[in-house]
Amino acid sequence: MWKNIIGQQKVREQFKTFYKRGKIAHAYLFYGNEGIGKDAFAIELAKLLNCKNVKSGDEACNECENCKKITSLRSELMQLICALPAGKTDE
């Protein structure tokens, strides 16, 4: 998981610590400038939290059914909510 996230070293280390200590909150809100990896980080975190075969204590396997479904955004275990840009519609 962590190697798939470019940059954000401080945040990665914080979440590694949270995970290792079992201190993951029930929800997180990722915010910031466009293009900094908020969605990617949320997806990778969801994979870690739902992985059936966690590697090295804090790495999602990317091979189990849960990891594959989350990667393809087709998992019932994760809900990714994104705001549409101003002036856009669902269509």
Side-chain angles (χ1 to χ4, degrees):
M1 166 201 166
W2 308 111
K3 60 186 165 214
N4 294 335
I5 305 297
I6 299 168
Q8 305 298 337
Q9 187 64 29
K10 183 177 178 182
V11 177
R12 287 190 321 194
E13 291 304 317
Q14 286 175 328
F15 274 88
K16 277 179 147 179
T17 301
F18 295 158
Y19 181 78
K20 288 178 181 178
R21 292 182 180 170
K23 301 288 184 182
I24 299 292
H26 74 281
Y28 289 99
L29 174 64
F30 295 95
Y31 69 95
N33 295 333
E34 189 174 328
I36 62 171
K38 300 177 297 290
D39 294 342
F41 197 96
I43 291 166
E44 293 299 320
L45 180 61
K47 285 196 301 191
L48 174 63
L49 297 177
N50 293 288
C51 182
K52 294 179 179 179
N53 305 308
V54 176
K55 298 178 180 178
S56 305
D58 65 356
E59 285 286 332
C61 72
N62 288 312
E63 298 168 2
C64 69
E65 180 183 3
N66 288 348
C67 284
K68 288 179 180 179
K69 281 183 173 181
I70 291 170
T71 297
S72 66
L73 302 178
R74 297 184 187 279
S75 175
E76 63 281 354
L77 300 171
M78 181 188 85
Q79 188 173 38
L80 184 65
I81 301 170
C82 299
L84 294 172
K88 301 286 182 171
T89 67
D90 288 344
E91 299 170 359

